[in-house]
Amino acid sequence: SYDLTQPLSVSVALGQTAKITCGGNNIVSKNVHWYQQKPGQAPVLVICRDTIRPSGIPDRFSGSNSGNTATLTISRAQVGDEAVYYCQVWGSLSWVFGGGTKLTVL
Amino acid sequence: EVQLVESGGGLIQPGGSLRLSCAASGFTVSSNYMSWVRQAPGKGLDLVSVLNKDGSTYYADSVKGRFTISRDNSKNIGYLQMNSLKVEDTAVYYCVGIPAASDSFDYWGQGTLVAVSS
């Protein structure tokens, strides 16, 4: 099976840039999708296919994918960005989710 | 606008059965992929099952042989029949739509809680 590795937590100062990583073997060969889940709510797709923002997602959210690491970047972080972020790929046999990263805005 | 609305969750004893329903609007279950993703309390996302547009299915090993995914094309409703429920099946179950020719989980319902306890 294909495994995705995310840090448990990331902290960022208000207004600064947060980077959340998602590690996987040769992940650059896969489409990486990112989801934001706020407490008590369903997840929301914020980045699909590495870099594409769905309609309604602020341009402060961006994604990249290279080598063995995909990255979700949140610029000008706001308190409202506090959430758990999950990466996800098609792992050749099935869909795979990362374990999630809790983003704290200080 | 796509809406997926789950129902059918509740408190059930171990060994019991429940059927979850997912009513879709703005999303045709027969021509896309429909899935169920669960989240145990305080835990991450766990893919349970996927029903492909061609009718083929995927099940996580943890539910294989106990859960069955299906759909009613005429009603545009998806289902998850859950039998032989275990305590470890306790979770919020989300119905999630995957657009055809995509592998991202684009459309999420609000979730329904399944609590398995004696």
Side-chain angles (χ1 to χ4, degrees):
Chain A
S1 64
Y2 189 83
D3 293 325
L4 294 173
T5 301
Q6 296 184 241
L8 283 177
S9 63
V10 167
S11 298
V12 62
L14 184 67
Q16 297 305 301
T17 298
K19 291 183 180 293
I20 298 173
T21 59
C22 176
N25 185 35
N26 196 31
I27 199 172
V28 66
S29 66
K30 302 184 181 298
N31 290 322
V32 180
H33 317 293
W34 292 92
Y35 306 86
Q36 175 195 64
Q37 186 179 31
K38 296 181 179 180
Q41 298 183 19
V44 172
L45 179 67
V46 294
I47 292 288
C48 61
R49 283 177 276 163
D50 298 343
T51 61
I52 299 171
R53 277 179 291 105
S55 174
I57 302 302
D59 61 5
R60 299 184 299 103
F61 289 80
S62 62
S64 62
N65 189 3
S66 178
N68 294 318
T69 304
T71 303
L72 173 68
T73 300
I74 306 170
S75 304
R76 305 182 301 282
Q78 301 176 0
V79 172
D81 297 332
E82 286 201 333
V84 178
Y85 292 84
Y86 296 90
C87 59
Q88 175 256 314
V89 302
W90 166 256
S92 77
L93 292 178
S94 69
W95 300 260
V96 179
F97 286 98
T101 299
K102 180 173 173 55
L103 177 68
T104 300
V105 180
L106 304 172
Chain B
E1 181 192 8
V2 173
Q3 279 198 315
L4 300 174
V5 180
E6 304 96 335
S7 59
L11 177 62
I12 188 78
Q13 291 189 334
S17 297
L18 277 178
R19 189 179 79 159
L20 305 182
S21 299
C22 173
S25 58
F27 183 85
T28 304
V29 296
S30 61
S31 55
N32 294 285
Y33 299 78
M34 190 197 72
S35 68
W36 292 90
V37 177
R38 69 184 179 184
Q39 187 170 38
K43 301 297 184 182
L45 302 175
D46 180 29
L47 179 62
V48 174
S49 184
V50 180
L51 177 58
N52 296 337
K53 59 181 181 177
D54 64 4
S56 60
T57 57
Y58 162 85
Y59 295 98
D61 287 342
S62 58
V63 307
K64 209 170 287 185
R66 300 188 299 124
F67 290 11
T68 303
I69 193 170
S70 63
R71 66 189 179 215
D72 185 326
N73 294 343
S74 65
K75 297 180 179 178
N76 206 33
I77 295 177
Y79 301 99
L80 185 68
Q81 178 67 43
M82 304 185 297
N83 298 331
S84 303
L85 281 161
K86 305 176 180 180
V87 170
E88 53 264 39
D89 294 319
T90 294
V92 174
Y93 284 72
Y94 295 101
C95 172
V96 191
I98 305 170
S102 172
D103 59 6
S104 56
F105 292 70
D106 286 35
Y107 308 112
W108 296 70
Q110 83 286 355
T112 187
L113 176 62
V114 173
V116 185
S117 174
S118 54

